[in-house]
């Protein structure tokens, strides 16, 4: 049987890097990084648990991609460029087919973002992945949750809701044509971290985060931390291409309170509208203006006629959602 | 029921730090660190799984201590001083009593080492903890596994084997008096990270690591990476106070191939003997010379008469050990 050390060597020892910031990678008690002089380090960690964040029989290539993508998405939401990451992995068994697929999906996305695997841990246990990712950015340029200003526009990247729609398909809440389900499921299984957009928004956006638990709940964190309120034009929300074919009520529900979108939600001054659109073009990412930050606390949902809409929606919470 | 955010606020939001290296802690997409100018960053990650690394009913205070201790031990083995850590936690339920105890044990050790909790993730799932720890050290001073030199002495900190003896007690392999079992179990549940010794050994020791899977296996990593061999004086190994009362065969077995010791094993030139002893005194840590590094590959075990001893011992491996 494959030992812990063989397993790491065979599947996770990436081709050696020429990145001068990485002084020592996998194989010692610690990895060693040489931070770029004058830059701030951004750090985020996410744990994914089988049966909770993904199906136990999930395709390992897509799973490898998703594990790193959700972490890179946190760097994007801060405006940081990736440097490196660590991976801790609990596996029920050392299955070569699964490991081959998982490492392939993981390292392909890592290569795309020049983000090196520098260390980790493997152990036997219920399938669980924990990635900690490191990025850098100039001090003072981070897109924080507490920086929204009254009068800011609220923007969102890409489209929302197709990941949630795919889940509804798996759960048989909604019957989807096989081809549609497959397309929607790509958004669920292979989210795109918006790194280039996050970096392009430095100095332009005020506050930002990535939408993982649903727009309303996540935007709520910006409002709470910034001590402001907001109005959202709910029929301006960019629904995913498959969700767009669904009735209005589902479009509203899944764009507002779907999960697993991994799009950026950010606020920026009105004076920066042209700059935001330019940042979207430069990073090849659609950006849509969806509302505005207001002094009055709370979140108001407005329809196309400017009328307040009352919806019972809740954001996903790991300990209160059944 | 306690929500994910309430849980973090209530149990893990440490009193605010005055450490200028921590620009932003818990609560945003990323934490932000300002690395000390000219210092290298040391990073290590460890995952602990219920039923594998600890018993499901383990005391939460001791468990909180142990989770961070095993990570700090990796910093110690590199000669790094702690700065901060992240915690990802999968919990079957949000149990206030357990969380109170766990965070108490965790944060007490964190405070002792001025190591701030700067971020994390909580999710529902089989009880699993993943900590990633950050430390710093001057470039070029890291105690690497590949730096042992032929002629070096081999040293070990503290004592070995009491943690393994405690496990033998739990498993009923060995019958221990209740008081003895309790003392040995402290070594298993509350290992002491040798941070001060690791820092004191900068510029004195060549290679180092921490012993987590057993001395022979772990020393084997130094030998393999440094392309050298060694002789160990197995009856010079410092057995823990409770293990010392056991017969010779058990003393040898548990000092050589016990696990969970979290002591440092390191090599240093003969010319540094006085400096090593001074480093031990300065850090209030017993150090014992146990062998020497040789050009001939392999590990030779010698008894008090200088005779080679042949023992069938294996190091713990998560995927090959049953």
């Amino acid at each position: 049987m494959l030992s812990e050390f063989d397993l790491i060597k065979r599947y996770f020892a990436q081709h050696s890097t020429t990145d001068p910031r990485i002084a020592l990678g996998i194989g010692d008690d610690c990895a060693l990084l040489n931070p770029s002089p004058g830059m701030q380090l951004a750090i985020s960690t996410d744990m994914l648990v089988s049966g909770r964040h993904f199906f136990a029989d999930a395709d390992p290539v897509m799973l490898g991609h998703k594990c790193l993508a959700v972490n890179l998405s946190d760097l994007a939401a801060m405006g940081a460029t990736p440097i490196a990451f660590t991976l801790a992995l609990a596996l029920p068994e050392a299955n070569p087919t699964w490991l081959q697929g998982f490492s392939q999906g993981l390292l392909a996305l890592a290569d795309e973002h020049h983000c090196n695997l520098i260390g980790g841990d493997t152990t036997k246990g219920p399938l669980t992945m924990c990635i900690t990712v490191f990025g850098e950015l100039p001090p003072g340029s981070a897109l924080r949750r507490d920086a929204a200003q009254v009068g800011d526009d609220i923007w969102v990247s890409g489209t929302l809701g197709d990941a949630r729609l795919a889940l509804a398909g798996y759960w048989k809440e909604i019957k989807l044509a096989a081809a549609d389900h497959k397309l929607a499921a790509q958004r669920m299984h292979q989210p795109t971290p918006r790194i280039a957009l996050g970096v392009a928004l430095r100095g332009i956006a005020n506050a930002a985060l990535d939408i993982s638990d649903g727009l309303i709940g996540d935007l709520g964190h910006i409002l709470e931390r910034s001590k402001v309120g907001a109005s959202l034009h709910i029929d301006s929300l960019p629904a995913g291409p498959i969700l767009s074919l669904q009735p209005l009520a589902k479009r509203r529900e899944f764009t507002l309170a779907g999960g697993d979108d991994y799009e950026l939600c950010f606020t920026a001054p009105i004076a920066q509208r042209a700059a935001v659109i330019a940042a979207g073009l430069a990073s090849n990412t659609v950006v849509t203006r969806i509302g505005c930050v207001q002094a009055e606390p709370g979140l108001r949902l407005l329809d196309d006629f400017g009328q307040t809409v009352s919806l019972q929606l809740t954001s996903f919470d790991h300990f209160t959602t059944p």
Side-chain angles (χ1 to χ4, degrees), chain A residues 2-198:
Chain A
L2 212 59
S3 80
E4 190 180 346
F5 284 88
D6 293 340
L7 186 161
I8 292 165
K9 262 193 214 161
R10 187 172 310 174
Y11 297 106
F12 296 106
Q14 234 170 350
H15 43 81
S16 62
T17 175
T18 53
D19 188 334
R21 294 170 302 185
I22 297 168
L24 186 63
I26 292 175
D28 215 306
D29 295 290
C30 294
L32 298 175
L33 278 192
N34 294 320
S36 305
M39 294 288 263
Q40 216 164 45
L41 208 67
I43 299 167
S44 178
T45 194
D46 270 300
M47 186 181 260
L48 275 72
V49 177
S50 177
R52 191 85 194 157
H53 300 90
F54 57 88
F55 300 116
D57 62 351
D59 176 87
V61 181
M62 291 200 280
L63 195 54
H65 172 102
K66 184 163 180 174
C67 282
L68 183 58
V70 303
N71 278 279
L72 289 173
S73 182
D74 283 316
L75 291 185
M78 217 74 185
T81 35
I83 304 173
F85 70 105
T86 60
L87 167 70
L89 193 54
L91 295 169
E93 53 169 355
N95 175 332
T97 312
W98 190 91
L99 281 162
Q100 176 60 40
F102 180 79
S103 63
Q104 182 192 321
L106 180 85
L107 298 180
L109 185 66
D111 285 346
E112 189 184 320
H113 289 281
H114 310 291
C115 188
N116 286 274
L117 178 60
I118 54 168
D121 191 20
T122 55
T123 177
K124 210 166 183 168
L127 186 59
T128 307
M129 299 87 176
C130 183
I131 285 181
T132 306
V133 73
F134 311 98
E136 63 180 14
L137 73 174
S141 71
L143 309 175
R144 296 169 57 144
R145 295 181 175 197
D146 60 3
Q149 299 293 322
V150 172
D152 276 2
D153 293 321
I154 301 173
W155 299 79
V156 71
S157 69
T159 63
L160 302 176
D162 268 0
R164 178 65 182 83
L165 182 65
L167 196 61
Y170 288 121
W171 284 347
K172 316 273 185 217
E173 280 176 17
I174 293 177
K175 197 170 157 49
L176 294 171
D180 284 355
H181 197 191
K182 196 175 167 189
L183 281 170
Q186 272 188 4
R187 284 303 306 270
M188 179 180 169
H189 296 307
Q190 304 216 272
T192 305
R194 302 298 189 186
I195 293 288
L197 177 64

